[in-house]
Amino acid sequence: MPELPEVETVCRGLAPALVQRRIVRVNQRRPDLRIPFPVGFTQRLSGRKVLSLTRRAKYILVHIEGDLTLIIHLGMSGRITIHPPFETAISPGRFHHNVGKARAPREWGPHDHVIFELDDGTLIVYSDHRRFGLMTLAQTGELNSHALLANVGVEPLGSQLTPEFLSAKLKDKKSPIKASLLDQRIIAGLGNIYVCEALFYAGISPRRQSGTVPGARAKRLVDAIGQVLRAAIQAGGSSLRDYAHADGELGYFQHQFAVYDREGETCKAPRCDNTIQRIVQSGRSTFFCSKCQR
DNA sequence: ACGAGAACCTGTTTGC
DNA sequence: TGCAAACAGGTTCTCG
């Protein structure tokens, strides 16, 4: 899934299609994703106008008139695609453009779980084959206290992520720094890829105890996190297997990772000939250079 | 209270 | 070639 840069990219891609449009119909094709859809999900959205889109951590927040916000999480494999009205389905999951003709009745693929129809005929399709994603509704005015958002930490690209803040959070922790950076209650939005990448650029071993990071290392880490995330957003998010841009293109940008998924390959640091290692930390792959990261 | 591991689910890749 | 195991961007629950 999408980590913060991918979610940000989806948000930005979705906004022009959604904002100021009215949702005319919602086709909810199963009772749940990771969690059940809320009662009245389709009815509460139908006929309402979308005011704006924002992102908090890895959540997409679709703000809708009438104090309503649609909260979307893409999980590991969630995608959102935009299908303009002139597009016609040729088979489940495949499309071609057919300008000027009415939309043909279409079949949906087994993983197309929610289809939003907008007042200009555009379809917004949420697909998620692993179903680790979720959608729910909240009152816009009470978003910050919503169970899903109440405990998320600071935005890594916001002004709140400072070396002092991070130092204070890590000070008494014994767990490896890798685990702390994945903890959404501290920094919201980092995932497995960008944690590996940020630790590499900061020159910090993923195995290092969190409590030994405060100080100069925390400064390097904050800088590295910002640098890595900004670069990824600039590049339009990293396209991996299950991720597509909001416009539905598989527009394949091959992100150049320094360490992620590069086990056995040579370290990219200027004068390093070391081999990237893969280890498993709390059940997830970590990639790092044991010479550059201490 | 904390941290590691399992569970949730399906598809793809890897290894024997 | 074929089948089974391992693995995948995340979150949340349980157990020690």
Side-chain angles (χ1 to χ4, degrees):
Chain A
M1 150 318 51
E3 300 186 27
L4 184 150
E6 290 76 22
V7 178
E8 181 66 29
T9 302
V10 170
C11 262
R12 291 181 187 183
L14 230 36
L18 272 174
V19 173
Q20 290 295 100
R21 294 258 70 92
R22 202 170 285 280
I23 298 168
V24 296
R25 231 188 311 278
V26 181
N27 180 2
Q28 176 200 323
R29 307 186 59 243
R30 53 173 301 124
D32 54 46
L33 294 171
R34 196 182 86 211
I35 61 172
F37 285 90
V39 175
F41 179 72
T42 60
Q43 297 89 319
R44 290 172 68 189
L45 290 170
S46 298
R48 296 271 183 85
K49 188 198 282 185
V50 176
L51 302 178
S52 63
L53 266 78
T54 57
R55 176 192 60 72
R56 173 77 172 105
K58 297 170 193 166
Y59 293 95
I60 297 166
L61 305 175
V62 184
H63 305 290
I64 292 162
E65 64 179 358
D67 194 38
L68 188 64
T69 292
L70 168 63
I71 302 176
I72 303 174
H73 195 293
L74 300 172
M76 293 276 254
S77 55
R79 298 173 169 202
I80 299 176
T81 49
I82 300 170
H83 304 279
F86 49 78
E87 185 182 74
T88 301
I90 53 177
S91 67
R94 296 183 56 215
F95 310 91
H96 75 269
H97 292 277
N98 194 357
V99 180
K101 295 190 182 171
R103 189 196 303 287
R106 57 162 301 150
E107 285 180 61
W108 299 103
H111 305 305
D112 298 330
H113 304 308
V114 184
I115 300 103
F116 301 92
E117 185 179 338
L118 307 182
D119 57 1
D120 66 349
T122 296
L123 301 183
I124 305 293
V125 180
Y126 177 90
S127 314
D128 183 358
H129 69 87
R130 291 179 76 180
R131 277 185 268 128
F132 288 168
L134 66 84
M135 273 189 216
T136 194
L137 296 173
Q139 290 182 264
T140 308
E142 292 173 14
L143 264 185
N144 291 335
S145 55
H146 190 279
L148 290 171
L149 299 173
N151 296 314
V152 297
V154 300
E155 284 292 325
L157 293 175
S159 57
Q160 291 180 80
L161 179 60
T162 61
E164 294 71 32
F165 170 86
L166 189 58
S167 294
K169 289 291 186 185
L170 297 177
K171 173 165 54 77
D172 297 319
K173 294 183 80 75
K174 291 172 211 151
S175 52
I177 185 65
K178 163 87 186 298
S180 296
L181 293 181
L182 282 175
D183 185 345
Q184 303 295 301
R185 294 167 304 181
I186 302 176
I187 302 176
L190 294 181
N192 204 36
I193 293 178
Y194 296 110
V195 165
C196 291
E197 295 292 298
L199 283 169
F200 171 78
Y201 287 110
I204 298 169
S205 167
R207 293 191 275 215
R208 173 174 283 279
Q209 273 200 16
S210 302
T212 70
V213 170
R217 289 189 184 91
K219 165 86 171 86
R220 297 209 306 270
L221 199 41
V222 167
D223 291 344
I225 288 168
Q227 181 192 322
V228 158
L229 293 182
R230 279 179 229 282
I233 291 171
Q234 191 94 37
S238 332
S239 283
L240 294 176
R241 245 188 297 299
D242 296 320
Y243 171 73
H245 289 202
D247 61 6
E249 281 178 36
L250 281 170
Y252 222 81
F253 176 80
Q254 279 284 35
H255 195 86
Q256 294 302 308
F257 297 128
V259 290
Y260 186 81
D261 205 23
R262 295 193 65 238
E263 183 183 19
E265 296 174 36
T266 306
C267 177
K268 290 188 175 176
R271 280 168 294 287
C272 184
D273 58 353
N274 199 23
T275 296
I276 302 303
Q277 283 176 244
R278 185 181 86 95
I279 58 173
V280 175
Q281 291 178 291
S282 45
R284 312 198 62 189
S285 290
T286 300
F287 300 88
F288 72 112
C289 172
S290 56
K291 280 193 185 168
C292 297
Q293 299 176 250
R294 299 294 176 147

